[in-house]
Amino acid sequence: MALLSKREIIEFRPIGDGLNAFRDEFVSTCRSSGLPCSVQSVHELDHDGQMTVSNRELALQSLCIWLILALQALPASRALPPVVGAHKNLFNDLSRLCSSINSDEFNLERLLPLSIAAFNREFDEVIWDKLYAAAAETTPPHPRPPPYVEQMPYSCSTSMISNSHERRDDIDPVLKKELGSIYTDVPGFEEAFFGGVKDLEKAGTAVFHRFIEGDDPLYRETAGWRDWPQSAEEKQVLDCKKSFAGSRRSKRSNA
């Protein structure tokens, strides 16, 4: 099936009464300010002294959002091509445009031609063309890649540590920041992570008994691990563990 052209989509999916809610809101805004029902009346509210600049901007902003939401609700918005090629359809562009209007940094005068066309019930094609023009003005250009220097990472993580020669005092803060909050004595932890290991408790008990057996055991209830370093620095702890492994191998060979 051949794809419909933009003109055919507009013809087969007319606006009809789809913008009546916007027109009603527009008339209500003008009447509440005692002004004629025209777009220029809202545009010049601050010059008449009947509304502050801030309130005038809010009134225009509200009307523009009403208009964009009304256009977005029309079936044609989901069938018309996008302004930005990466989007699926015009519906996505209208979502972005509505967010821009609500940001308070949008130049509302860009939407005045569209608002005038919608209020004056101009032809559907004219209204959609003016919408495309307004949306195109608000589409940011494709960002250029930053210079090589700006692409260098500012954060530090353990993945950036390429060897084991870093000082423990330097690595520990990085690791702690990377891990975030650390909790101890979490209920159900052992069951959740080790519950599926068959006979784990039995095997662990057997191994531990090997450490406490003999005349000179590696572990005593009253003293803790034998030759455990006082400062618990990394190198000393690793050397101590190596000595434990050597002691176990020596006992096995003598058994």
Side-chain angles (χ1 to χ4, degrees):
M1 182 178 179
L3 295 176
L4 297 177
S5 66
K6 177 181 170 183
R7 186 170 186 174
E8 290 172 329
I9 294 173
I10 294 174
E11 181 180 353
F12 294 154
R13 294 173 172 81
I15 294 176
D17 296 330
L19 300 183
N20 282 351
F22 158 72
R23 297 185 183 102
D24 291 342
E25 181 67 17
F26 184 84
V27 171
S28 175
T29 300
C30 289
R31 286 178 177 174
S32 64
S33 305
L35 297 173
C37 296
S38 68
V39 175
Q40 292 302 321
S41 294
V42 178
H43 184 54
E44 299 295 334
L45 280 173
D46 60 315
H47 298 296
D48 294 340
Q50 300 182 46
M51 186 179 287
T52 65
V53 174
S54 176
N55 289 338
R56 191 263 301 183
E57 291 291 336
L58 289 175
L60 282 175
Q61 185 182 60
S62 177
L63 286 173
C64 289
I65 291 176
W66 269 93
L67 176 56
I68 299 304
L69 290 177
L71 289 167
Q72 191 177 34
L74 297 173
S77 72
R78 297 185 292 277
L80 286 168
V83 176
V84 180
H87 291 169
K88 179 179 180 181
N89 47 35
L90 184 60
F91 185 93
N92 295 95
D93 292 304
L94 293 178
S95 297
R96 177 186 52 78
L97 181 58
C98 202
S99 297
S100 298
I101 296 171
N102 196 49
S103 68
D104 295 332
E105 298 178 358
F106 183 82
N107 183 2
L108 297 172
E109 292 187 2
R110 295 179 180 176
L111 291 176
L112 286 181
L114 171 62
S115 301
I116 294 172
F119 182 74
N120 290 336
R121 299 177 183 270
E122 295 191 24
F123 291 116
D124 289 7
E125 191 170 0
V126 174
I127 293 175
W128 288 115
D129 284 346
K130 292 186 181 299
L131 172 60
Y132 271 98
E137 288 183 10
T138 60
T139 302
H142 186 73
R144 297 180 60 183
Y148 179 78
V149 174
E150 294 182 13
Q151 298 182 46
M152 297 297 292
Y154 289 96
S155 61
C156 181
S157 66
T158 52
S159 62
M160 301 174 62
I161 300 174
S162 59
N163 55 58
S164 59
H165 298 293
E166 319 292 351
R167 289 175 54 86
R168 180 179 175 181
D169 293 342
D170 298 328
I171 297 176
D172 283 357
V174 177
L175 181 60
K176 185 176 180 180
K177 183 178 180 180
E178 187 174 327
L179 292 175
S181 300
I182 301 176
Y183 301 92
T184 59
D185 299 328
V186 178
F189 179 85
E190 293 184 8
E191 179 63 27
F193 287 90
F194 305 108
V197 182
K198 185 178 179 180
D199 297 329
L200 177 62
E201 185 174 355
K202 181 179 179 181
T205 301
V207 172
F208 181 70
H209 277 299
R210 293 180 181 177
F211 287 120
I212 62 176
E213 63 187 12
D215 297 332
D216 187 21
L218 294 175
Y219 180 83
R220 296 178 186 271
E221 289 287 347
T222 57
W225 293 100
R226 189 185 69 193
D227 300 329
W228 188 261
Q230 293 295 325
S231 62
E233 293 183 1
E234 182 178 3
K235 185 178 185 306
Q236 295 180 9
V237 171
L238 292 177
D239 291 340
C240 184
K241 289 184 176 182
K242 289 179 182 179
S243 69
F244 289 169
S247 297
R248 294 309 309 157
R249 284 195 294 268
S250 176
K251 288 186 178 182
R252 285 183 180 179
S253 62
N254 295 331

